[in-house]
Amino acid sequence: MINEKEEFLSYINFPEYNSHSKTDYGYLGRFTLEMFEDLTGFNRVLTILARGYMFDEEGNADIARAERAIRAWCSVPDKKNAKPLEDWQYITDFRVLHDEFPELVDKNGKGWLYRHIENIAAYVKKNPDKVSQAAIKKTNDYLKDFEKAWRRKVEQFHTTIYDVNTINGWIIRFDGIISDALELGPLREEEVEIPDLILDKLHERLPENCIEGVTVLIKYYIANRQPDTDWVVISHINLDGYLGYGTFTKKLLATIPEDILIRSTNHGVNRYKIMPDFLP
Amino acid sequence: MEKLPYYAKMLKEGIPKIKAKTIPDNKLFNFAAEDSWKEKLDTDILDAVSTLISEYDEVLRRIRVSRADIQTKKRYKDIDRILFSQGKDEDFDADVLYAEFSKISDEHLQKIHEAMIEQNWHRMIEEDREVFLSEWLPELTEYFDILSDFTFSGYRILNDLILDIREANSAESSRQLYRDGDTENMVVMTDAYVNKLASDSYREAVAKKCREILEKITKPADAVKYAVALGKRGFMWDVLIDYVSKNALKVRRDDL
C-alpha cells in the first residue's frame, strides 16, 4: 500500500502458495476472496500495473506499452470452440502479447490474474486441512465462473469514457486506468517511518489487534496526503488484501477513537484524517 | 447498501419472465367465427381506423413522456464522488456546475464534447487543460480549477456535466405535446388533454375525443371489429369498452 513498487511486484509475481494456519491467506497474494467473488478492487491493481509499465527510470511515459501490459494481465483465454470475433466485438484473449510480456500472459491466452486464480484453486483443493472453510467453499469450481464473469468485465473495460450510454460510476475502463496512471505518475517506493513516540502512544491507547492496521493507515496518510485537503482516500478492499485480513476495515476501524483518526464515507469511497498528535 | 442495485439486478435476472398467452379472435368474438371475417371488412374504413389508432397511440405516448419525471443528472453521483475523493465537497457543490452548464447552448455543448474526444481531454497535460477550457468555456474561469483537476478521475467531471445537460435538453424537447406536421386528429386529441377537467384522467379525456372522431368513420359496434382485425385490443378497451360485451362470446376461462 505504501511502497508502490513492492505492490507492483506483488501483482506480477506469483506468491508462494502456502499457509501456516487456516486463517493465513498468504497464498492469495495481495488479493482477498471478496475481490475474486465480486471482482472489485481492481481499479487500484490495474492503475498500479499501468504505472509500473508506463514509466521508465527517468519518468518518461510510454502510454502504448502500459495499454498493452494491462490488457495482457487481464487476458482470458477464448473458449475452445469460440467463433472468430466480429469487428464490433472486444478482444478478451490477449495471447498475441505473450512475446512482449511473457510474465503477464502465457501463449494460451491465460493472463496473470487467470493463472493466479487457477493456482489458488489448485492449492486449496490439494490442502483442505491448511485453508479455511470459506476458501474451500469459494474456490470450489470457481475458475469457470470467474472465466465467464471476468471475460464480461474485460469486454466492458474497452468502452470509452465519452460513451453517451454509460453512467461512469465504478466502471473500470482501460482508458480511464491509463489517464489515472498518467496523473499519478511513476510508482513510489519511499519508506515511511513512524517515530517510536507515536508508536508508544498507539500501544497505550489501542488494543493489540488494531496496531498494525492503524500504523499502515498513518504511513499511507503521510505518503498520500495532498496539499489542499486534510482527507486521504483509501480503498478498504485493497487494504484488506495488503493486511491479509478483512477484520480491520470491517470491524476494528470503527472502534478507533476520533482523537486518533476521523473517517468519512460517501458513495462507497472511504477517506480519513489522522489527528496531528499522531503524525510526525 | 451500495450493493442493493446489484442485488436488484441479480433478482431481476433470476426471475423467469411471464409470457402472456394471446387467445385467438375466434374464441372471444362472435363476429370472428368464420375464417374469412376480415376479408368482409371495408378497406377504406380499415385504413381510416388504423390511422386513427396510430394517432391516438402517438398522442398518448407524448402525454406519458411529458408527465414522467425526467431522470436528469444521472451522473451527479459520479461528480459528487470525485469531489468527495478530492476533499472538495465541503466547500463546493456540484449543483453550481449544473446551473452554469445549463446556460450553455446545446450546439456549443455538442461541439465541446466532440473537441474533448478529438483532443483526448482525459489525457491532456495540466497546461493544455487550461488552454482547452479557455478556448471553449471562457466565461467559466472561476471553475477551471475544479474542471482541470484530474486526480481521482477528475477528467470525468466535464464529460459527466455535458452528457447530463445534453440529456436534459433532449428530454425537454421530447416532452413537447404539439409538433410540426401533426394531423388535425392529433391536434384535437391533444387539445382534449390540455383542456381536460382536473378530475378527468388523461386517458379518459383523450379516449372520449377519439371516440367522437371514430364515430364519424364508422359505428362503434362495427369499430370493434376493425380494432380487433388490426390487432389493437388495447384500443378497443380504451375507446370502445361499452361495445365490447355485445361482440364477445360467453366462454369459461378454463376453456380458453
Side-chain angles (χ1 to χ4, degrees):
Chain A
M1 286 304 275
I2 295 120
N3 184 333
E4 295 171 338
K5 207 63 169 268
E6 197 181 275
E7 185 173 349
F8 169 72
L9 293 174
S10 74
Y11 296 145
I12 62 166
N13 295 314
F14 295 116
E16 192 188 330
Y17 295 98
N18 202 353
S19 45
H20 304 293
S21 70
K22 289 199 175 200
T23 54
D24 176 5
Y25 285 100
Y27 58 91
L28 296 178
R30 292 248 186 146
F31 297 86
T32 65
L33 290 173
E34 204 183 339
M35 281 173 88
F36 296 145
E37 200 174 25
D38 301 339
L39 299 181
T40 49
F42 287 93
N43 206 24
R44 182 180 172 92
V45 177
L46 290 171
T47 312
I48 292 274
L49 282 162
R51 290 163 68 197
Y53 283 97
M54 185 182 287
F55 297 99
D56 65 15
E57 296 292 322
E58 280 85 45
N60 301 312
D62 184 342
I63 294 176
R65 178 168 188 255
E67 284 178 326
R68 293 192 299 275
I70 50 174
R71 282 165 172 73
W73 191 87
C74 291
S75 181
V76 193
D78 280 339
K79 286 181 219 150
K80 282 201 181 79
N81 51 0
K83 289 185 203 141
L85 292 182
E86 305 279 345
D87 283 349
W88 53 270
Q89 282 176 311
Y90 293 125
I91 301 174
T92 49
D93 180 331
F94 294 100
R95 66 184 73 191
V96 290
L97 295 170
H98 169 69
D99 286 343
E100 185 179 4
F101 304 104
E103 73 282 20
L104 298 186
V105 58
D106 73 9
K107 54 182 186 307
N108 300 315
K110 291 180 181 177
W112 190 91
L113 181 66
Y114 185 97
R115 282 173 293 151
H116 182 40
I117 289 176
E118 209 173 36
N119 296 342
I120 290 169
Y123 174 76
V124 171
K125 201 167 183 183
K126 214 171 144 192
N127 301 281
D129 49 328
K130 290 168 84 178
V131 297
S132 69
Q133 279 306 312
I136 295 172
K137 215 174 125 203
K138 285 179 182 169
T139 57
N140 183 30
D141 259 353
Y142 173 69
L143 193 65
K144 244 187 341 210
D145 294 344
F146 164 78
E147 191 176 313
K148 212 169 132 196
W150 187 248
R151 188 180 288 125
R152 271 183 64 187
K153 281 259 175 202
V154 178
E155 280 169 8
Q156 290 169 5
F157 290 174
H158 287 273
T159 56
T160 106
I161 65 148
Y162 300 110
D163 189 353
V164 288
N165 295 318
T166 48
I167 299 161
N168 281 311
W170 285 114
I171 302 168
I172 295 179
R173 297 188 173 88
F174 286 138
D175 225 10
I177 294 290
I178 297 296
S179 300
D180 292 339
L182 270 169
E183 185 65 23
L184 289 162
L187 296 171
R188 293 167 304 164
E189 54 180 333
E190 74 261 40
E191 293 295 332
V192 179
E193 291 301 328
I194 301 184
D196 289 344
L197 194 73
I198 292 175
L199 284 176
D200 291 345
K201 269 199 279 187
L202 288 178
H203 280 284
E204 264 169 46
R205 298 282 312 277
L206 297 172
E208 201 50 41
N209 57 2
C210 289
I211 299 291
E212 187 190 16
V214 174
T215 315
V216 172
L217 282 184
I218 296 178
K219 288 184 179 177
Y220 190 82
Y221 189 83
I222 297 166
N224 292 283
R225 207 170 154 184
Q226 301 294 313
D228 39 7
T229 173
D230 289 338
W231 293 108
V232 164
V233 172
I234 191 156
S235 157
H236 279 182
I237 197 147
N238 298 108
L239 179 59
D240 293 346
Y242 174 73
L243 293 171
Y245 48 87
T247 40
F248 178 71
T249 60
K250 289 185 183 67
K251 287 190 189 135
L252 306 173
L253 190 53
T255 66
I256 314 287
E258 291 214 328
D259 60 341
I260 300 177
L261 71 85
I262 298 180
R263 299 176 308 124
S264 131
T265 302
N266 193 8
H267 303 311
V269 176
N270 294 294
R271 64 181 188 185
Y272 66 106
K273 287 178 196 176
I274 301 286
M275 292 296 106
D277 283 356
F278 293 87
L279 288 172
Chain B
M1 273 302 282
E2 72 226 32
K3 278 200 179 169
L4 271 180
Y6 168 74
Y7 289 134
K9 178 174 163 271
M10 297 308 284
L11 197 63
K12 198 175 162 192
E13 281 176 6
I15 297 174
K17 298 218 170 24
I18 298 173
K19 282 193 189 130
K21 190 169 80 173
T22 313
I23 298 156
D25 294 337
N26 61 9
K27 287 197 170 177
L28 289 179
F29 303 101
N30 50 23
F31 54 75
E34 281 180 46
D35 285 347
S36 60
W37 71 277
K38 282 185 193 173
E39 288 156 25
K40 292 180 185 156
L41 298 173
D42 181 313
T43 50
D44 288 343
I45 297 177
L46 192 70
D47 287 348
V49 173
S50 167
T51 309
L52 179 64
I53 294 177
S54 319
E55 289 165 335
Y56 171 80
D57 286 343
E58 174 61 15
V59 168
L60 278 189
R61 191 193 65 80
R62 287 187 201 170
I63 294 171
R64 274 188 218 108
V65 170
S66 78
R67 291 162 64 95
D69 290 332
I70 319 182
Q71 233 214 337
T72 50
K73 297 190 180 178
K74 277 191 265 183
R75 299 165 181 86
Y76 185 94
K77 226 160 121 179
D78 191 46
I79 299 178
D80 205 31
R81 183 189 301 127
I82 295 168
L83 293 174
F84 178 85
S85 303
Q86 293 172 338
K88 290 185 183 145
D89 56 309
E90 281 153 4
D91 18 60
F92 193 80
D93 192 343
D95 284 320
V96 182
L97 289 171
Y98 275 94
E100 287 297 336
F101 273 73
S102 58
K103 293 180 201 157
I104 305 170
S105 79
D106 198 62
E107 294 77 47
H108 191 59
L109 289 177
Q110 187 183 355
K111 280 186 190 146
I112 303 176
H113 200 243
E114 283 163 7
M116 285 167 74
I117 298 171
E118 202 186 293
Q119 298 179 36
N120 265 332
W121 163 252
H122 62 301
R123 290 193 187 171
M124 260 182 215
I125 55 165
E126 221 168 329
E127 299 82 66
D128 293 350
R129 295 171 205 164
E130 293 257 334
V131 176
F132 182 91
L133 292 171
S134 313
E135 187 189 339
W136 290 99
L137 296 160
E139 66 283 14
L140 297 182
T141 32
E142 73 176 288
Y143 305 107
F144 281 6
D145 282 351
I146 301 269
L147 297 172
S148 63
D149 181 351
F150 279 14
T151 55
F152 297 99
S153 309
Y155 49 84
R156 291 208 302 243
I157 294 182
L158 183 60
N159 185 59
D160 285 344
L161 280 167
I162 292 181
L163 291 183
D164 266 358
I165 301 288
R166 292 208 67 209
E167 266 174 29
N169 291 344
S170 91
E172 202 51 55
S173 59
S174 69
R175 285 160 78 89
Q176 285 170 354
L177 291 172
Y178 297 97
R179 295 180 201 177
D180 291 345
D182 282 354
T183 62
E184 202 189 320
N185 286 343
M186 288 170 78
V187 175
V188 178
M189 285 190 278
T190 312
D191 284 346
Y193 163 68
V194 174
N195 303 320
K196 78 176 180 67
L197 295 173
S199 56
D200 279 355
S201 81
Y202 73 93
R203 293 185 76 106
E204 275 166 10
V206 178
K208 218 161 107 187
K209 184 54 76 178
C210 185
R211 169 73 167 258
E212 282 174 25
I213 304 168
L214 184 63
E215 286 184 13
K216 287 181 201 156
I217 302 172
T218 182
K219 286 186 291 183
D222 287 339
V224 173
K225 294 182 198 167
Y226 288 95
V228 172
L230 290 162
K232 298 286 183 184
R233 287 186 196 164
F235 178 82
M236 174 186 83
W237 290 116
D238 280 2
V239 178
L240 295 159
I241 188 155
D242 47 338
Y243 280 87
V244 174
S245 64
K246 296 190 175 88
N247 286 296
L249 291 168
K250 291 196 170 41
V251 277
R252 282 162 54 92
R253 195 185 169 82
D254 305 344
D255 297 339
L256 293 172

